[in-house]
């Protein structure tokens, strides 16, 4: 662009270029501009051309920077979109884990209640058996005082049976306590989430 302006200036200073149709030169004093004015105008045109060229180049570099920044922003937006999708997936997984923990907690509560019911039944049966053993001992003592040794053996057998039932009851109670601890741990975990 600068070269074309230089050529235009050179042609104008040599008088080789005419901006319109060729006319016969008339010898009027006002029709021809002095060479100095033409030089000043051409210098102004060259400076205007250089300014326009600088403006074009700076605008081009600014546009390049803007396009580069836009590409960076697009990359950042894509990353944010991916992170949002990943966060949504993690949230869905956490909700699934929470639901699973709640289901397990509910099942543990049901099992604990069933075990407590079984333990209560065993304790009632033990009490009934103890009552029966005592009434049987009383009956036997009143009815057959001659065979005390036999009664003592039966009482010892009944006592060992009762001890076995007591151990079974304690074992069931330990299982219920263990399930209660597991249930409280699961509840704490679900509350923490």
């Amino acid at each position: 662009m600068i070269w074309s302006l230089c050529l235009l200036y050179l042609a104008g200073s040599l008088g080789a270029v005419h901006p319109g149709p060729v006319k016969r030169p008339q010898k009027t004093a006002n029709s021809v501009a002095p060479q100095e004015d033409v030089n000043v105008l051409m210098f102004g045109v060259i400076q205007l051309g250089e300014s326009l060229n600088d403006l074009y180049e700076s605008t081009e570099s600014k546009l390049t920077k803007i396009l580069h920044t836009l590409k960076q922003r697009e990359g950042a937006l894509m990353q944010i979109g991916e992170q949002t999708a990943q966060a949504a997936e993690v949230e869905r997984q956490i909700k699934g884990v929470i639901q699973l923990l709640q289901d397990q907690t509910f099942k543990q509560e049901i099992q604990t209640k069933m075990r407590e019911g079984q333990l209560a039944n065993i304790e009632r049966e033990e009490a009934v058996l103890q009552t029966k053993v005592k009434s049987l001992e009383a009956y036997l003592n009143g009815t057959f005082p001659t065979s005390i040794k036999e009664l003592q053996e039966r009482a010892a057998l009944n006592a060992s049976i009762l001890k076995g039932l007591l151990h079974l009851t304690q074992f069931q109670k330990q299982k219920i306590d263990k399930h209660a601890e597991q249930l409280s741990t699961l509840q704490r975990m679900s509350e923490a989430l």
Side-chain angles (χ1 to χ4, degrees):
M1 182 168 177
I2 292 175
W3 288 107
S4 62
L5 290 175
C6 287
L7 288 175
L8 182 63
Y9 172 72
L10 183 61
S13 65
L14 294 175
V17 176
H18 298 286
V22 178
K23 296 182 183 178
R24 288 187 189 180
Q26 295 179 357
K27 301 257 173 161
T28 59
N30 292 338
S31 67
V32 176
Q35 185 64 33
E36 188 177 307
D37 289 344
V38 171
N39 288 344
V40 169
L41 284 174
M42 291 308 278
F43 181 73
V45 168
I46 289 173
Q47 283 186 335
L48 177 64
E50 288 177 355
S51 297
L52 288 174
N53 188 36
D54 289 343
L55 180 66
Y56 171 77
E57 288 175 357
S58 67
T59 304
E60 184 179 20
S61 69
K62 287 178 184 176
L63 282 174
T64 303
K65 287 179 184 177
I66 289 171
L67 288 174
H68 180 69
T69 304
L70 281 174
K71 286 181 182 178
Q72 288 178 336
R73 297 289 191 256
E74 284 178 6
L77 282 174
M78 289 177 66
Q79 284 181 336
I80 289 171
E82 290 172 2
Q83 290 172 353
T84 303
Q86 289 173 353
E89 177 63 22
V90 168
E91 181 182 3
R92 186 190 64 77
Q93 290 175 355
I94 288 173
K95 286 181 180 179
V97 168
I98 288 173
Q99 183 63 43
L100 180 65
L101 286 174
Q102 288 174 344
D103 292 344
Q104 288 179 350
T105 301
F106 180 71
K107 288 177 184 177
Q108 288 281 341
E109 287 175 355
I110 289 173
Q111 287 178 353
T112 301
K113 288 179 182 177
M114 287 174 52
R115 304 267 183 200
E116 287 173 352
Q118 290 173 350
L119 182 62
N121 287 339
I122 290 172
E123 288 173 349
R124 279 194 298 273
E125 290 175 5
E126 181 184 0
V128 168
L129 281 175
Q130 285 179 347
T131 306
K132 285 182 180 180
V133 166
K134 286 180 183 177
S135 65
L136 183 61
E137 284 177 351
Y139 172 73
L140 290 175
N141 285 337
T143 309
F144 304 104
T146 55
S147 58
I148 291 177
K149 187 164 187 147
E150 186 180 320
L151 288 175
Q152 285 177 343
E153 289 174 0
R154 285 188 182 181
L157 178 65
N158 287 336
S160 67
I161 291 172
L162 286 175
K163 283 183 183 178
L165 287 173
L166 182 62
H167 287 300
L168 181 62
T169 303
Q170 289 174 348
F171 177 71
Q172 289 294 331
K173 187 171 182 174
Q174 288 174 352
K175 282 179 99 176
I176 287 172
D177 290 342
K178 184 177 177 183
H179 284 293
E181 287 177 14
Q182 288 176 347
L183 178 62
S184 66
T185 302
L186 285 174
Q187 286 175 340
R188 284 193 301 271
M189 286 174 57
S190 66
E191 289 172 3
L193 290 178

